[in-house]
Amino acid sequence: MASSASTNPAHAHFESFLQAQLCQDVLSSFQGLCGALGLEPGGGLPQYRKLKAQLNYWSAKSLWAKLDKRAEQPVYQQGRACARTKCLVVGAGPCGLRAAVELALLGARVVLVEKRTKFSRHNVLHLWPFTIHDLRALGAKKFYGRFCTGTLDHISIRQLQLLLLKVVLLLGVEIHWGVTFTGLQPPPKKGSGWRARLQPHPPAPLANYEFDVLISAAGGKFVPEGFTVREMRGKLAIGITVNFVNRRTVEETQVPEISGVARIYNQSFFQSLLKATGIDLENIVYYKDDTHYFVMTAKKQCLLRLGVLRQDWPEIDRLLGSANVVPEALQRFVRAAADFATNGKLGKLEFARDAHGRPDISAFDFTSMMRAESSARVQEKDGARLLLGLVGDCLVEPFWPLGTGVARGFLAAFDAAWMVKRWAEGAGPLEVLAERESLYQLLSQTSPENMHRNVAQYELDPATRYPTLNLRAVTPHQVQDLYDVMAKEPRRRPSDKPDAGKPATGTQEELLRWCREQTAGYPGVHVTDLSSSWADGRALCALVHRLRPGLLEPAELRGVGALEATAWALKVAEHELGIPPVLSAKAVVAGSDPLGLIAYLSHFHSTFKNTAHGPGGPEGPARQGFPGTSSAVLFLGKLQRTLQRPRAQDVLQENREDTGGKKPRLEGEAKTPSTEEPPVPESDVPPTPPSQHQEAGAGDLCALCGEHLYILERLCADGRFFHRSCFRCHTCEATLWPGGYRQHPEDGHFYCLQHLPQEGPEEDGGDQGPGSQDLPAAEEASMPSGPSPAVTPPEGTRAAPSPGQPTQPTRRLIRLSSPERQRLSSLQLTPEPELEPPPKPPRSCAALARQALEGSFVGWGMPVQSPQVLVATEEEQEQSASSSEEEEEEEEAAAGETTALGSDMEQALVTLAKNSGTMSKYPTWQRTLLRRAREEEMKRFCKAQAVQRRLHEIETALGDLEAEGMKVELALRSQGGSPEQQNTLWMEQLLQLVQKKNSLLAEEAELMITVQELNLEEKQWHLDQELRGYLNQEGALKTPADRQAEEQLLKKLLDVVNQRDTLIRFQEELRLSELA
């Protein structure tokens, strides 16, 4: 075979073409191949057919077979679907090249321009299963033998560009290098077409090339004129990428990759990194490809402290500019981080070189990500129509920790090619745009889990990829503003139309009317306004009772003071309805904050306005479901109160439970609610430090900084009000989120759970991460707590507790309401043995402790690899780079299988995994299992990063709302000479801002539930691996200390499983309530 290649120039050029690893080598070898065969490059599909017919070479036959199989799909119509369409593709990145492949297969004439002249990016891209199968089907392993061998699921950008470049050259795409696209040139006269403005000095054929489709894949820095781009901002995020030389030594092959580890669920790793190196990171990823590739997110203060950044600048460009970055310090920084992450097993780290010969290391900002409002447009002038489409980063800039960039980029390329096909078929411009925008709506939610499982059946038709496809989700009427006809009056966008005549929603009058309807029929309650009518507390109690009957009888309010009744209503609304206070009971009674009261009542209105209640009056039937209530807020509130409760109080409450036989009630019961400044600290409540004893009852002063609090700035925690910017961990100054902090009883400061000081020697107190907290039982999320009259005689003779009162809890009379007495009488205290728990959502193989102990699975199902196994796996991957065609087809078939196996197949794989000797007999299954394990690890990392990014976006959005709300509130409070209509508009704006804030807070609470789940998953994984080490020991060799440690680990593992079960039941109840 080698002699044939050496004697036939075309064969030799083809072998050089296959093996070329530089862009210029690819182009020169392909030019030589075409010259040897007498062909002209860039001739489209006819060139490919001639090339295939003339190059009758054994090494090319398998490649022709793969490309023919793709081209023979019916959607391409044998290359005639777009035979009369001329396309210009801007950008030779992976997405631009992939779009060019599809357009060429459709039969279009494709011209591609790229401003660079070589591929030099070593950074590594994570590949979804469908992208692996898609590239294999295009002959990726012929061009790059190491492509996704074994368990690899990634590739460097440079290698991906090279193999796609080879495909587009074979398919006849015309490519021009060193040419920059600067804009569009409209048709100069009727009968001519659209052209491109190019620099510098393009050749005449390219300058005069007229096209009717433009696909822009030029990256996020360039978006064609006419497209609107929306910025998605989060907190400051500094990413660092670095590539080290991969010498492929045996020692290097033993180092396992890190698919992703994030602080949000593995705080111990980053705490150890900080202590050992002084480096403070949010996450880190390590891939082994042509280089050792690391990417991490670093904190700004850490970079400043270690001298990586010379000076702190508010402007991001100036902060990360070359003049402000110290290269030597940055190199030391990444070396230390890489050494720690790999336990120093990579040896001496040598930097790979970039295109300019410098160390391939860079710091970049991904605080803001851009997203195009639309994915396509149509421009028309003098009868010449031009279809414009976006793909890649100029459509949606990816969030790199998610590993979604190339996968969603390929999907956008497919969708754009489908749009071009519909355009060539003669569909109307608005119809084509509406279908494309309907597909664009699916893109951001797309993941391997919600796409069709059988990736081998994916075609250009979007129905083969998206299970829930609705091409009419966007109507032609909605995309009229995307169709521009030049030299005519531009169409007015729907968002630009004046809305002066549109009736306002959520007005102050509507709020007053709703409150009057909800409180009608209650004795002594007459709501006539949104200020003085609420001063006695009865109206607020009536409103809470209407929304949550059964907590008390209205008659029990007799003899109760206005302050106490109002405080009770505020507390119950927070604990039972998930509505946090924005003002204190004193402010309500005194009427000193009418705007705060209106904002507070608007939360009730927006939450429950669509909830149907019974007829007016206290006798209306109670509803058990509250569609508008954020269950996550309620759950996190209960969790936070559980965290704040001291252990001694837990013991006392357990004793009361044992002696009284009653269910435990919320902490602070029968005391003045915590929304009021406590007159005297209770014996069972942590003392408040003197520095925080300032009067914050009116809700207008921050309990920490003492500065003024505007309505939208108020964050209530443990009965006091704070700025969100002030409510941070006392140690690390990280923002505190619901369910993730605790107040120390001794110093009174708030801490995140990672930095919470120990209260003393406690059992199993070594781990204070978020996974170690006790979650409230699901049924405890709605425990009623009554006002003081439910505990004290109605005469109100109870005096306030004095400081000298004994700390022993006293027995108190509890007065139950009628519904409570009825529920207590029907309460069954002995569980029924045949009663089964509610069904749980499907989990992984290690979801329960007993299941985790039965198998040896990590993530989807593989045990932690020993160094010997890792070496064998790496060697197998090296050997498979030169595997036979049969092995390649076997891997391709395995990659095309469904990622979610059935229970029978999963059980069979579990059985194989248990027997380590059996696995060596089934290398394909072993690779499949290892791939599944990596996919599960990556899935958890991506989920954590998506949550963290969204939390940061919410925090930024809340900051913007607070700034806007402050301006509106100042205008309302100084409304002296303003017209009534202007005041009404300001009030409308304030209520809308409050509603937006409440919506964001509810979403934040739901995300924190996900954080709790990730924390528990990570903790279970570590406990499972630690416990397995003891279980693998022979019983005769175990010492008493080993057995005791094993029992302790088993106890911890079962406790974590129980906490995960609580979260699962909560999520199931939430799902069922939403369905109801």
Side-chain angles (χ1 to χ4, degrees):
M1 299 297 181
S3 60
S4 174
S6 60
T7 57
N8 190 324
H11 295 177
H13 285 302
F14 184 77
E15 286 296 333
S16 300
F17 176 72
L18 291 181
Q19 304 302 325
Q21 291 297 301
L22 295 176
C23 182
Q24 294 300 327
D25 293 343
V26 172
L27 297 175
S28 61
S29 59
F30 185 74
Q31 189 73 29
L33 174 63
C34 291
L37 298 176
L39 301 176
E40 187 69 26
L45 278 184
Q47 172 215 285
Y48 166 70
R49 297 190 180 103
K50 294 177 182 178
L51 183 64
K52 182 179 63 172
Q54 297 186 34
L55 188 61
N56 188 17
Y57 180 40
W58 69 271
S59 183
K61 289 182 179 179
S62 60
L63 180 59
W64 304 147
K66 288 183 175 295
L67 294 179
D68 286 344
K69 183 178 180 181
R70 179 79 184 192
E72 290 170 358
Q73 292 180 2
V75 69
Y76 300 115
Q77 301 175 16
Q78 298 296 322
R80 295 189 298 271
C82 299
R84 298 182 180 180
T85 304
K86 291 188 285 187
C87 305
L88 176 68
V89 178
V90 182
C95 299
L97 290 169
R98 190 63 189 86
V101 170
E102 292 302 312
L103 295 174
L105 290 172
L106 286 168
R109 182 188 174 187
V110 184
V111 175
L112 187 147
V113 294
E114 168 58 47
K115 63 181 180 180
R116 288 166 293 194
T117 58
K118 57 183 176 181
F119 300 148
S120 58
R121 291 184 289 176
H122 294 106
N123 293 356
V124 179
L125 300 173
H126 172 70
L127 299 179
W128 289 4
F130 95 86
T131 53
I132 296 175
H133 185 271
D134 175 70
L135 292 169
R136 276 194 175 130
L138 294 177
K141 289 188 71 67
K142 290 292 296 183
F143 305 121
Y144 182 50
R146 293 177 50 82
F147 176 75
C148 289
T149 55
T151 62
L152 295 181
D153 57 356
H154 49 74
I155 188 173
S156 69
I157 298 177
R158 188 181 70 87
Q159 285 291 351
L160 180 57
Q161 287 178 287
L162 283 173
L163 66 89
L164 286 174
L165 173 62
K166 296 174 183 179
V167 175
V168 298
L169 288 173
L170 291 174
L171 294 179
V173 174
E174 180 182 337
I175 304 180
H176 296 269
W177 302 91
V179 177
T180 301
F181 175 84
T182 60
L184 288 169
Q185 182 178 341
K189 59 182 179 179
K190 193 170 184 178
S192 59
W194 291 79
R195 299 179 185 178
R197 293 198 302 267
L198 305 170
Q199 291 180 353
H201 309 299
L206 179 61
N208 297 325
Y209 176 60
E210 295 182 352
F211 48 89
D212 46 15
V213 174
L214 171 68
I215 301 297
S216 176
K221 299 299 182 182
F222 178 80
V223 178
E225 185 179 355
F227 286 90
T228 303
V229 178
R230 177 166 56 92
E231 181 185 18
M232 298 176 290
R233 292 193 303 116
K235 292 174 59 179
L236 176 64
I238 301 175
I240 299 176
T241 61
V242 59
N243 287 276
F244 297 105
V245 174
N246 186 355
R247 302 181 184 85
R248 306 191 188 280
T249 63
V250 175
E251 291 76 12
E252 288 173 305
T253 60
Q254 294 181 2
V255 181
E257 293 182 333
I258 303 174
S259 295
V261 57
R263 176 187 292 273
I264 199 170
Y265 65 82
N266 190 351
Q267 298 182 1
S268 58
F269 172 85
F270 295 95
Q271 193 70 12
S272 301
L273 172 65
L274 179 62
K275 291 180 180 178
T277 64
I279 294 175
D280 201 3
L281 300 179
E282 290 287 348
N283 49 47
I284 187 170
V285 175
Y286 162 52
Y287 283 146
K288 196 184 315 177
D289 208 89
D290 287 346
T291 61
H292 295 291
Y293 170 69
F294 291 84
V295 58
M296 61 200 79
T297 302
K299 294 188 176 182
K300 181 182 70 172
Q301 295 302 325
C302 171
L303 296 176
L304 290 168
R305 175 168 42 83
L306 296 179
V308 177
L309 300 178
R310 289 188 170 93
Q311 192 171 348
D312 188 5
W313 298 102
E315 301 87 1
I316 302 299
D317 294 340
R318 196 172 182 183
L319 178 69
L320 299 179
S322 57
N324 198 46
V325 177
V326 181
E328 297 78 10
L330 181 59
Q331 293 175 19
R332 291 193 299 269
F333 183 94
V334 295
R335 271 202 177 104
D339 275 332
F340 183 89
T342 58
N343 295 320
K345 295 182 179 180
L346 287 179
K348 184 178 180 181
L349 294 171
E350 178 184 350
F351 290 101
R353 299 291 166 173
D354 61 13
H356 304 285
R358 298 172 299 199
D360 194 353
I361 176 175
S362 64
F364 60 96
D365 163 55
F366 60 99
T367 302
S368 297
M369 295 185 299
M370 312 306 293
R371 175 187 177 89
E373 293 284 0
S374 61
S375 59
R377 299 185 66 86
V378 172
Q379 293 187 8
E380 180 179 345
K381 183 180 181 183
D382 296 333
R385 291 175 177 173
L386 176 66
L387 176 66
L388 299 92
L390 305 181
V391 299
D393 289 1
C394 64
L395 179 63
V396 179
E397 283 188 335
F399 182 47
W400 70 261
L402 300 184
T404 58
V406 68
R408 291 179 179 169
F410 275 24
L411 291 175
F414 297 155
D415 296 339
W418 176 260
M419 173 186 67
V420 175
K421 179 179 181 296
R422 296 281 291 128
W423 178 265
E425 290 173 348
L430 293 180
E431 182 181 355
V432 171
L433 292 172
E435 287 189 3
R436 180 66 188 97
E437 294 309 307
S438 298
L439 291 171
Y440 184 38
Q441 288 185 348
L442 297 175
L443 187 63
S444 60
Q445 288 82 31
T446 302
S447 67
E449 290 72 36
N450 57 25
M451 296 178 65
H452 279 306
R453 296 296 186 180
N454 193 347
V455 299
Q457 295 181 357
Y458 284 14
E459 296 181 3
L460 189 61
D461 188 343
T464 63
R465 301 187 298 274
Y466 306 114
T468 57
L469 177 64
N470 179 14
L471 291 177
R472 292 182 174 84
V474 178
T475 64
H477 176 73
Q478 294 174 294
V479 295
Q480 289 184 5
D481 59 326
L482 302 181
Y483 184 16
D484 294 333
V485 180
M486 301 181 66
K488 289 185 179 181
E489 186 71 19
R491 288 181 172 86
R492 184 189 296 272
R493 298 191 179 189
S495 59
D496 297 335
K497 294 181 180 179
D499 54 355
K502 183 179 179 181
T505 58
T507 62
Q508 190 172 348
E509 291 75 14
E510 181 183 353
L511 175 61
L512 177 59
R513 182 172 59 254
W514 181 83
C515 291
R516 186 182 296 117
E517 292 173 354
Q518 298 302 313
T519 57
Y522 285 88
V525 177
H526 303 284
V527 175
T528 58
D529 54 31
L530 296 176
S531 55
S532 60
S533 298
W534 306 84
D536 60 358
R538 294 181 178 273
L540 194 56
C541 289
L543 180 60
V544 172
H545 181 269
R546 170 60 63 88
L547 300 175
R548 194 63 187 266
L551 295 182
L552 86 163
E553 295 294 335
E556 295 178 357
L557 292 175
R558 296 172 183 171
V560 178
L563 183 62
E564 191 171 16
T566 303
W568 174 85
L570 292 174
K571 178 181 178 181
V572 174
E574 180 181 11
H575 291 184
E576 305 298 336
L577 302 179
I579 298 180
V582 295
L583 75 170
S584 68
K586 288 182 180 178
V588 176
V589 174
S592 58
D593 192 6
L595 288 180
L597 179 60
I598 293 174
Y600 181 62
L601 293 175
S602 70
H603 197 171
F604 285 90
H605 177 236
S606 62
T607 302
F608 297 101
K609 62 182 178 181
N610 297 323
T611 303
H613 294 282
E619 303 302 325
R623 277 184 57 90
Q624 299 301 321
F626 302 98
T629 304
S630 174
S631 300
V633 173
L634 290 172
F635 184 84
L636 286 179
K638 178 62 181 176
L639 172 60
Q640 189 58 50
R641 291 189 293 275
T642 304
L643 290 173
Q644 289 296 98
R645 186 171 53 203
R647 291 179 178 267
Q649 187 174 345
D650 291 340
V651 175
L652 291 176
Q653 190 145 339
E654 290 175 3
N655 294 337
R656 295 175 187 171
E657 199 174 329
D658 294 338
T659 57
K662 297 183 177 66
K663 294 173 66 175
R665 302 174 73 86
L666 291 171
E667 75 285 351
E669 181 180 6
K671 298 189 294 290
T672 300
S674 57
T675 51
E676 208 58 51
E677 179 191 7
V680 180
E682 296 270 347
S683 58
D684 57 349
V685 176
T688 304
S691 61
Q692 296 175 353
H693 258 276
Q694 54 187 304
E695 173 60 49
D700 56 356
L701 294 179
C702 176
L704 289 176
C705 70
E707 297 294 330
H708 183 77
L709 275 172
Y710 294 93
I711 292 175
L712 268 79
E713 292 180 325
R714 296 173 189 175
L715 171 67
C716 183
D718 301 322
R720 288 171 291 171
F721 295 95
F722 307 88
H723 292 103
R724 284 182 65 91
S725 57
C726 294
F727 195 59
R728 297 178 178 272
C729 174
H730 184 67
T731 300
C732 66
E733 297 185 352
T735 302
L736 298 177
W737 283 316
Y741 69 91
R742 186 171 177 180
Q743 184 181 17
H744 196 272
E746 296 179 2
D747 60 22
H749 295 300
F750 292 95
Y751 296 88
C752 66
L753 298 180
Q754 180 184 357
H755 297 111
L756 181 67
Q758 298 291 333
E759 300 179 21
E762 297 178 359
E763 182 182 1
D764 303 332
D767 187 1
Q768 287 295 327
S772 64
Q773 56 191 306
D774 296 328
L775 296 180
E779 60 271 11
E780 293 182 16
S782 59
M783 294 182 192
S785 61
S788 296
V791 188
T792 59
E795 292 76 16
T797 57
R798 180 177 63 90
S802 61
Q805 230 176 349
T807 57
Q808 291 288 345
T810 58
R811 308 187 71 175
R812 296 172 294 181
L813 174 64
I814 299 178
R815 178 177 299 174
L816 300 177
S817 62
S818 299
E820 286 180 318
R821 288 193 294 270
Q822 185 177 0
R823 287 198 298 269
L824 183 61
S825 62
S826 60
L827 182 64
Q828 187 170 355
L829 300 178
T830 57
E832 300 179 8
E834 66 275 6
L835 188 63
E836 296 182 358
K840 302 178 179 61
R843 311 300 292 176
S844 61
C845 294
L848 298 176
R850 295 302 179 185
Q851 288 177 282
L853 300 180
E854 291 174 0
S856 296
F857 277 64
V858 175
W860 192 86
M862 280 304 296
V864 175
Q865 302 293 312
S866 63
Q868 293 80 9
V869 177
L870 284 171
V871 173
T873 304
E874 293 286 348
E875 291 176 352
E876 178 186 349
Q877 294 174 4
E878 295 285 347
Q879 295 171 1
S880 60
S882 57
S883 60
S884 63
E885 293 295 330
E886 291 78 6
E887 291 175 341
E888 180 183 342
E889 294 297 331
E890 183 181 7
E891 286 185 0
E892 184 175 339
E897 292 174 354
T898 174
T899 56
L901 303 179
S903 57
D904 296 338
M905 182 62 67
E906 185 174 345
Q907 185 59 40
L909 293 178
V910 172
T911 305
L912 285 173
K914 287 180 180 178
N915 189 345
S916 58
T918 310
M919 288 304 298
S920 60
K921 302 178 183 178
Y922 302 93
T924 303
W925 284 118
Q926 183 181 21
R927 288 193 295 268
T928 302
L929 285 171
L930 288 171
R931 191 185 299 278
R932 295 293 193 271
R934 292 175 59 86
E935 289 173 0
E936 287 296 321
E937 184 180 3
M938 188 64 185
K939 188 189 306 182
R940 180 170 52 180
F941 176 73
C942 291
K943 188 176 182 180
Q945 293 308 297
V947 169
Q948 189 170 15
R949 173 70 187 187
R950 183 54 187 155
L951 286 172
H952 289 166
E953 289 177 352
I954 289 176
E955 187 172 353
T956 302
L958 287 172
D960 295 339
L961 288 177
E962 290 173 0
E964 189 174 355
M966 180 182 66
K967 298 178 182 178
V968 177
E969 185 177 347
L970 286 174
L972 281 170
R973 294 189 185 277
S974 59
Q975 59 183 352
S978 302
E980 183 65 26
Q981 184 179 3
Q982 182 62 55
N983 294 336
T984 302
L985 291 177
W986 283 337
M987 180 61 69
E988 267 303 308
Q989 190 175 357
L990 180 65
L991 294 180
Q992 290 175 2
L993 294 175
V994 170
Q995 187 171 353
K996 289 180 181 179
K997 175 187 176 181
N998 295 334
S999 177
L1000 289 174
L1001 292 178
E1003 183 183 358
E1004 182 183 56
E1006 294 173 359
L1007 293 174
M1008 291 309 301
I1009 295 292
T1010 306
V1011 171
Q1012 299 291 342
E1013 186 177 11
L1014 290 170
N1015 288 332
L1016 292 174
E1017 287 179 3
E1018 180 72 9
K1019 188 173 184 182
Q1020 178 178 334
W1021 185 86
H1022 286 290
L1023 290 173
D1024 180 75
Q1025 298 309 308
E1026 190 174 356
L1027 181 60
R1028 202 167 309 284
Y1030 288 103
L1031 294 178
N1032 290 337
Q1033 296 180 8
E1034 295 184 9
L1037 301 179
K1038 290 184 180 179
T1039 63
D1042 292 336
R1043 298 182 186 277
Q1044 184 179 4
E1046 181 179 338
E1047 289 297 325
Q1048 291 292 333
L1049 285 174
L1050 179 59
K1051 180 180 177 182
K1052 290 182 180 180
L1053 185 59
L1054 291 176
D1055 182 58
V1056 170
V1057 170
N1058 289 333
Q1059 295 181 40
R1060 289 190 65 186
D1061 183 68
T1062 300
L1063 281 179
I1064 293 171
R1065 285 190 286 118
F1066 163 77
Q1067 292 170 337
E1068 179 66 9
E1069 291 174 2
L1070 179 61
R1071 184 184 67 85
L1072 293 177
S1073 65
E1074 290 175 350
L1075 291 177

